[in-house]
Amino acid sequence: MTNPAKPLVITQGDPAGIGPEIIAKAFRDAPDLLRGCFVAGDVATMRRATRCIADGAHTVDLPVAQIGHAQEALGMPPRCVPVLQLPDIPGEVPIGQISEAGGRAAAHSVLWATRAALRGEVAGMCTAPLHKEALALAGVDYPGHTELLQAEAAAHAGVTVAEMPVRMMLANDELRTVLVSIHVSLRDAIAAVTRENVMQTLRITHAALWAALGRAPRIGVAGLNPHAGEGGLFGREEVDIILPAVAQARSEGIDARGPFAPDTVFMRARHAPGHPGEFDAVVAMYHDQGLIPVKYLGVDQGVNVTLGLPLVRTSPDHGTAFDIAGKGIADARSLIEAIKVAKRLSVNAS
């Protein structure tokens, strides 16, 4: 449970995607978990979402109630969707279409929730998917949630973005991975493998997982090149950059090991029945290296957690899925898992 005095905010995501309908399904299917949660967004958009998930198998009444402030969410009955109507947010947009209005609505919701979390008005936030192209059309100069949250947190703290380093962790019950770089080209991701960036990632991972686990985490580090460079035969990043960073981390008391071959380290870290993993998390050198293994284990179970922020933020590990939006068939399990994690982390933070 979250701090009982503070609600948890869920951003509605891009209104043209599946965000609103998986939020509605979460309120319908996990009423106990969703007590004390509310949506920052548009009432009409959420009412449309409740209509699109209605079918013969699910006839539970799912009212959408407009609230005037966050605290009202704490007193709402189960299977009622409290929505804080944001001023000047675009309303219903065509489902399944990339648009400036959809990007603006998603950004507006995220900005409101982030600022409320930074002011301490909510226990944490869970973000429904937004579309990066729509975000760009809306004039938002950030490639995704993580970078936008980082900029807002840095501004709130009165520091530069460089002084507010954050990392993306994708996790499920079997595997956690933390990324050295996030939404950049592969060419830029390789350039981002520096000793400083690897060290920052190890420090952030160590601090965040110690808080979550209550003990020092065991961190495996993936190499960048095939076979982790094979002693310099396939590239020298492991020898010149990653290995020295791991050694420095160990000198600081961080239980980091590696670099290991990236095609096997995730299997070694996986916690499966009868096979306890060797590591609590793997630090991956770039986006797809770290995310593919977790998503392969099941998109419906994965949770994205932003590490290094002075607030709790989680999200499901999938996108807007415009191709199925509005059909009522989107799976809400990843969002439900993300809300569980946000509630658990908010207890640790408080």
Side-chain angles (χ1 to χ4, degrees):
M1 295 179 63
T2 56
N3 180 341
K6 293 182 182 179
L8 184 82
V9 59
I10 305 169
T11 65
Q12 73 172 19
D14 192 309
I18 63 171
E21 61 194 86
I22 61 174
I23 293 170
K25 282 188 175 182
F27 275 95
R28 183 193 69 191
D29 298 341
D32 292 337
L33 176 68
L34 272 289
R35 291 292 295 270
C37 297
F38 71 98
V39 182
D42 174 62
V43 171
T45 295
M46 288 308 304
R47 285 182 175 151
R48 179 176 68 178
T50 63
R51 292 194 298 271
C52 88
I53 67 169
D55 58 44
H58 297 98
T59 57
V60 175
D61 185 31
L62 195 66
V64 174
Q66 182 171 340
I67 59 176
H69 54 82
Q71 288 294 111
E72 287 184 48
L74 298 174
M76 300 301 285
R79 292 198 177 91
C80 176
V81 185
V83 180
L84 185 69
Q85 177 69 44
L86 301 182
D88 303 320
I89 189 172
E92 295 180 68
V93 302
I95 291 176
Q97 297 181 24
I98 300 170
S99 69
E100 178 273 340
R104 188 155 45 91
H108 199 50
S109 179
V110 172
L111 286 170
W112 186 93
T114 305
R115 291 165 184 171
L118 289 169
R119 291 191 299 264
E121 296 170 6
V122 295
M125 58 189 289
C126 181
T127 58
L130 52 71
H131 195 284
K132 293 174 177 59
E133 188 177 343
L135 206 63
L137 288 174
V140 178
D141 194 25
Y142 300 101
H145 277 115
T146 305
E147 297 83 358
L148 180 57
L149 290 161
Q150 179 187 24
E152 284 294 309
H156 181 81
V159 300
T160 66
V161 169
E163 294 172 302
M164 181 69 68
V166 300
R167 293 296 187 270
M168 175 191 289
M169 179 173 75
L170 199 65
N172 58 29
D173 289 341
E174 298 181 60
L175 184 64
R176 300 182 187 95
T177 65
V178 184
L179 312 180
V180 170
S181 64
I182 307 176
H183 300 122
V184 296
S185 72
L186 184 55
R187 189 180 304 276
D188 289 342
I190 293 170
V193 179
T194 65
R195 181 168 173 171
E196 179 184 3
N197 284 344
V198 175
M199 267 307 306
Q200 266 191 353
T201 309
L202 289 168
R203 288 179 181 133
I204 290 170
T205 304
H206 174 77
L209 288 184
W210 191 316
L213 300 174
R215 59 172 172 80
R218 302 161 300 158
I219 304 170
V221 181
L224 174 67
N225 298 297
H227 301 190
E230 200 72 79
L233 292 175
F234 304 150
R236 293 200 55 84
E237 286 84 0
E238 287 78 9
V239 175
D240 297 339
I241 297 170
I242 303 173
L243 186 59
V246 170
Q248 182 181 343
R250 292 185 66 83
S251 74
E252 295 179 9
I254 297 172
D255 185 2
R257 284 169 272 171
F260 300 112
D263 59 352
T264 58
V265 67
F266 300 100
M267 291 185 287
R268 293 173 60 179
R270 182 185 180 190
H271 295 261
H275 180 269
E278 293 180 45
F279 311 113
D280 296 301
V282 175
V283 166
M285 292 300 115
Y286 57 93
H287 185 280
D288 286 9
Q289 184 190 61
L291 266 57
I292 288 171
V294 182
K295 292 193 175 189
Y296 181 77
L297 293 174
V299 172
D300 59 332
Q301 302 169 6
V303 176
N304 179 355
V305 184
T306 305
L307 307 182
L309 289 171
L311 57 87
V312 170
R313 179 262 172 162
T314 68
S315 76
D317 76 344
H318 56 72
T320 50
F322 281 179
D323 57 326
I324 62 168
K327 298 179 181 179
I329 60 174
D331 194 327
R333 283 179 292 178
S334 182
L335 177 69
I336 290 171
E337 287 300 315
I339 294 167
K340 286 181 184 176
V341 172
K343 287 198 165 193
R344 186 164 64 244
L345 291 176
S346 69
V347 170
N348 293 339
S350 64

